[in-house]
Amino acid sequence: MLPGFDGSGRLFSPLRKALADSVDAIVLSYPADKVMTYYDLCHFLKDELPDTPYVLLGESFGGPLALMLSRYADENLKGIILCVSFIKNPQVLAEKLIRPFLKPKHLQKKTPAWHIKTVLTNGVSDPKLINNIQKATAALSREVYFLSFTRNSRC
């Protein structure tokens, strides 16, 4: 399992619990304190791929990372699942308009609930989900959090 922007896999907890009796679900987490591009993450994780049959699940921007990692996979890779994901950045225009003006210091340490509801959950306002997302993003350094919005998906 490749997490989305938080990189911790914390948000996979309910799914991992539901799968516990039938699937050995492993989360490949990303460093929370080190700024890494998609290229860096791909090379960081490629040696973590199992040597037994597996399926890669890429959530959000973990999806492009799953596709990039498939280049290094052997016959043990049986499939790729893109979960709430994309193959290339769906917000290119917004990124081009906002990124020049946005700096890591502008990001709040606690992601506002309105931002989560608007951008990440399509209006879903489940307090437990919002709290989990806030905790996951709070564990990231500002620089890593900032980069999660501006990653380059080439490996």
Side-chain angles (χ1 to χ4, degrees):
M1 301 174 108
L2 299 165
F5 71 95
D6 75 297
S8 70
R10 172 190 201 103
L11 301 175
F12 285 137
S13 294
L15 178 59
R16 290 183 72 201
K17 186 176 180 180
L19 296 173
D21 293 337
S22 57
V23 175
D24 184 18
I26 300 167
V27 175
L28 300 180
S29 298
Y30 323 140
D33 59 347
K34 184 177 179 185
V35 175
M36 298 178 82
T37 64
Y38 261 124
Y39 178 83
D40 297 332
L41 286 170
C42 182
H43 289 279
F44 176 80
L45 295 170
K46 70 180 182 176
D47 294 330
E48 302 297 317
L49 296 175
D51 57 2
T52 58
Y54 66 97
V55 172
L56 283 174
L57 182 147
E59 183 249 334
S60 189
F61 75 74
L65 188 54
L67 295 173
M68 291 187 297
L69 282 168
S70 71
R71 291 181 177 175
Y72 301 98
D74 57 19
E75 67 279 353
N76 286 316
L77 177 61
K78 302 303 179 189
I80 297 174
I81 300 169
L82 299 179
C83 174
V84 192
S85 192
F86 47 86
I87 294 175
K88 64 181 190 173
N89 187 344
Q91 298 183 9
V92 174
L93 181 60
E95 180 182 323
K96 286 182 180 182
L97 293 174
I98 295 170
R99 190 173 194 283
F101 305 103
L102 185 64
K103 304 292 180 224
K105 67 181 180 180
H106 297 139
L107 298 174
Q108 298 178 26
K109 191 62 179 167
K110 183 176 180 181
T111 306
W114 67 264
H115 179 76
I116 293 169
K117 287 185 250 182
T118 305
V119 177
L120 301 176
T121 65
N122 197 30
V124 174
S125 59
D126 175 22
K128 187 173 181 179
L129 175 62
I130 290 171
N131 188 43
N132 281 341
I133 292 172
Q134 288 174 326
K135 285 180 180 177
T137 57
L140 302 174
S141 72
R142 287 190 193 274
E143 289 74 19
V144 170
Y145 185 44
F146 176 74
L147 186 62
S148 71
F149 292 102
T150 59
R151 290 185 197 265
N152 180 338
S153 60
R154 299 186 191 276
C155 182

